[in-house]
Amino acid sequence: MPNALFSVPKAVNETVLSYSPGSPERSRLLKTYEKMLGEEVDIPMFIGGREVRSGSLRECRPPHDHQRVIGRYHWGGKEHVEQAIDAALAAHASWSSMPWFERAGIFLRAADLVSGPYRDKINAATMLAQSKTVHQAEIDAACEFADFLRFNVQFMTEIYAQQPESSPGMWNRMEYRALEGFILAVTPFNFTAIAGNLPSAPALMGNVALWKPADTQVYSAWVIMEIFRKAGLPDGVINLVYADGALVGDLVFKHPDFAGLHFTGSTSVFKHLWKEVGANIDRYKAYPRIVGETGGKDFILAHPSADAAEVATSMSRGAFEFQGQKCSAASRAYVPASLWPQVKQHLVDDVKSFKMGSPGDPSNFMTAVIDERSFDKIASFIEYAKSQKDAEVLVGGGYDKSKGYFIEATVVATTNPNFRTMCEEIFGPFLTIFVYEDARWSETLDLINRTSEYALTGAVFSRDRYAVDEATRRLAFAAGNFYVNDKPTGAVVGQQPFGGARGSGTNDKAGSILNLLRWVSPRTIKETLVPPADYRYPFLG
Ligand code: NAD
C-alpha cells in the first residue's frame, strides 16, 4: 500500500462536439456508422470474464431500418443467470478489498476510452441500436457516460473523506464497505450512459454486479462491456447477461446474497420488482438496497409574461428530441389563453419543419421509435386523441412502420385538463396542451400538481419573478428536476443531479454523491488509545 493520500483528477464535463458540416468528428462518426451498419456482429454474454455463447440467437435491428440485421446476440437461460451470480460472488472478496484508487484508475481509464478512442464506436452503436441522432448520441453515449464515470470517482473520494470527530483519548474512523452480496442492475433502452452507469456506480464502490440490459439496447451494451474490459475491469465484477427479465428476477430475488437493485425503467416494472423483493425478504442475509428511477409525465408551464418563442422552442426540443423517449421529455403543457395564438403558430411551424428519417443523415431532427411494441402503443394514443371530442390534433398524427418505426411529432390540444394523454406516460413524440384562462394561473399550479402520479421533471417559463417564485414553491413536490425558463430535458452530470419523486422513483439522483451512498455500508471503528485498566469510575469513590 502506498504511503500517500491520493487526490483524483477534478471531474470536468466532457465537451459536446458540434458535428457541424465539414467537421472532422462528423466524417469520422458517419464513416464508423456506415461500417457498423454493414456488418453483422456476434454478441456474446460476459460472465466471469468469459465470453459466453449460448447458441440461442436473437437479432439486433436498427429501429429506423428494421429489415436489416446488424448483429446477433446470445440469449441466456437459467444456467447463465446462475453462473453470473456465482461469478460475481467469487469476485467479491478481491474486488471489495482492492484499494479504492485502483478501482478509480479503472473507471477513469474507461472514461477516457469512451471520450477518446471509443467515442465514434459507442456513438455509432447508440445511433444504430436506439436510433439516436448524432447529437443525441453524443450527449448520451460519449459525454454523459464519460461524465458519470469521472464524477463518480470524485464523489467516491468525497464520501471516503467524510470522517467522524475523535474526542481526546480515542481515534474514530469510518470505512465505507461494499455491500455484502451482489447487485442486480436492470437497465432501460433509452440511454447508453444510464446502462453503463447502473452496474458501474456500485462496482466503483467495491460491489459486484449482474447486469441485465433491455433487449433493444444489447448492441450498445456490448460496446460498453468491451470498454470496461479494455479498462482493466477484473473478471466477474460486472457480468452481462441477456435474458428474460422475469427469469432473472425470479433467480436473483430468491438468492440469499442479493444485496441491491439498481433499476431504471418504467414505474410498473419497478413496482413489480419491489414487491418481489419484499415477498422474499426473509431469505436475505441483509436488507437489500432498492434504487429505481422510473417514469414521468413532465410538464411545461407558461405564465402570461413568458416569451412565446421561448416557450414554443422548449416544446419542440423538450417534447420531440429523441422522439420523446426521454423520461424527462415534456409531454403536457399549460399555456395561458393570451399567449396561445403565438405559441401555437410558432410550435406548429417548428414541427412542420422537422425532418424525420435515419440518424445516418445528420439533417434529421427526429428518427424512429425504439420498437414495434412502442410504435403500436403510441399509434393507439394518437388514434384515441383523434377520436375524442375534447381533443384536437394540431399537427402530426401520422405514422408508418413499413421501413422503420416512424411516428410524426404530434401536438394535441385539449379542453379537458384531465384528458388521458395529459395524465399517462406515452413515451413517444406526443405533446398534449391545455390552454388555461390567464386569470386561473393559481388554480393551474394546483392542477399541475395533482394531475399525474409522477414527479420527475417540470419547467416554468415566466418573465415575472413573483410568478417564478410562486411556481417554484407551489410545485415543490411535482418534480425532482425543476427548470426555470428552460426545457425540462438535458440534465448534465455534476450540474443537475437527476431523479424524481412520487411514482417517478426513489430520487437517489444518478450522477451525484447521493446515489453512491446507496452502494456502501459504512463501518465505524473506534480505537481507544490508552484503555482503562480499572473498572471503578471516580464517582464510585
Ligand atoms: P421497461 O420498464 O420496459 O424496461 C426496463 C428494464 O426492465 C429492461 O431491462 C427490461 O427488460 C426489464 N424488465 C422488464 N420486465 C421485467 C421483469 N418482470 N423483471 C425484471 N426485469 C424486467 O422500460 P424501458 O422501456 O426500457 O424504458 C423506458 C422507461 O424508463 C420509461 O418509463 C422511462 O420514463 C423510464 N426511464 C426513467 C429514467 C429516470 O431517470 N427516471 C431514465 C430513463 C428511462
Side-chain angles (χ1 to χ4, degrees), residues 320 347-354 356 366 378 382-383 385-386 392-400 406-413 429-431:
F320 300 119
L347 178 63
V348 169
D349 289 350
D350 269 1
V351 171
K352 284 184 177 159
S353 74
F354 291 170
M356 184 162 64
M366 286 177 58
I378 301 162
I382 292 177
E383 289 311 313
K386 285 178 180 169
E392 181 196 354
V393 177
L394 297 180
V395 61
Y399 46 86
D400 179 356
F406 291 105
I407 299 196
E408 286 176 4
T410 300
V411 180
V412 168
F430 193 123
L431 173 67

Side-chain angles (χ1 to χ4, degrees), residues 179-180 256 258-260 277 281-282 284-290 518:
L179 305 185
E180 202 179 4
F258 168 63
V277 174
I281 196 72
D282 290 330
Y284 307 134
K285 292 179 183 162
Y287 298 104
R289 301 284 168 89
I290 304 179
R518 300 301 309 274

